[in-house]
């Protein structure tokens, strides 16, 4: 019973780690460079700027100021995103260390293989994304 409980907990943690693991490749995880869709810094930023320009009838000086605001927000969002990625990576490493500490030597070998397999899949996804970006089929 205890081994089944440990195995279930282990699978849950690995699943969570895998779910967060894909967020580290830097290719539009949250709507593109700088933020979520629809925000000033993301892919929707141009649409938001166009909507504000049209609906509010911004003059040229206001358009320039809006562009500066968008650029500042994009920079801040990118820095925050990077910081969050680093924190999640550290948390995953901490969790994996704690998990490894409770495993038998045989389980540790299997756990290491699972980690290696996950890392390989991540690398394959990254390579696939790079190819799609280069070919323009994204």
């Amino acid at each position: 019973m205890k081994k089944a409980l440990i195995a279930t907990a282990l699978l849950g943690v690995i699943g969570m780690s895998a779910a967060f693991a894909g967020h580290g490749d830097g290719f539009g995880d949250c709507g593109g460079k700088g933020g979520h869709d629809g925000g000033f810094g993301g892919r929707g930023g141009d649409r938001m700027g166009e909507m504000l320009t049209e609906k509010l009838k911004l003059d040229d000086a206001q358009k320039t100021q809006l562009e500066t605001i968008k650029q500042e927000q994009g920079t801040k969002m990118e820095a925050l995103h990077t910081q969050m990625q680093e924190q999640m990576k550290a948390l995953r490493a901490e969790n994996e260390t704690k998990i490894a500490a409770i495993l038998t030597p045989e389980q540790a070998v299997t756990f290491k293989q699972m980690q290696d397999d996950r890392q390989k899949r991540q690398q394959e996804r990254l390579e696939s994304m790079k190819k799609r970006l280069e070919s323009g089929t994204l």
Side-chain angles (χ1 to χ4, degrees):
M1 179 69 179
K2 186 177 178 182
K3 284 187 178 183
L5 182 60
I6 290 172
T8 302
L10 178 63
L11 289 174
V13 172
I14 291 170
M16 288 188 312
S17 294
F20 285 113
H23 291 281
D25 60 21
F27 289 102
D29 301 318
C30 293
K33 189 174 183 178
H36 294 280
D37 282 343
F40 286 121
R43 287 182 287 191
D46 289 337
R47 289 183 296 223
M48 178 66 81
E50 290 171 9
M51 183 182 73
L52 289 173
T53 298
E54 291 173 18
K55 298 266 185 190
L56 299 175
K57 299 180 181 7
L58 300 179
D59 62 29
D60 289 341
Q62 290 172 314
K63 290 177 192 176
T64 301
Q65 291 172 328
L66 178 62
E67 187 60 35
T68 300
I69 292 168
K70 287 169 43 179
Q71 289 175 356
E72 288 172 357
Q73 181 182 8
T75 300
K76 289 177 183 177
M77 292 288 284
E78 187 173 343
L80 182 59
H81 188 242
T82 300
Q83 179 185 9
M84 287 175 42
Q85 286 176 320
E86 291 169 1
Q87 289 175 343
M88 288 190 303
K89 184 177 180 180
L91 182 59
R92 279 191 303 274
E94 177 185 336
N95 287 338
E96 290 173 357
T97 300
K98 288 178 180 179
I99 291 167
I102 66 168
L103 301 177
T104 66
E106 296 82 17
Q107 291 169 328
V109 170
T110 302
F111 183 58
K112 175 72 171 129
Q113 184 61 50
M114 293 167 70
Q115 290 174 305
D116 292 345
D117 291 346
R118 186 190 79 225
Q119 189 171 22
K120 181 181 175 185
R121 285 191 310 272
Q122 287 175 320
Q123 188 62 37
E124 288 170 355
R125 283 194 305 267
L126 179 61
E127 293 300 321
S128 174
M129 180 67 73
K130 286 180 180 178
K131 288 178 184 176
R132 290 180 11 203
L133 283 170
E134 291 170 0
S135 68
T137 59
L138 186 62

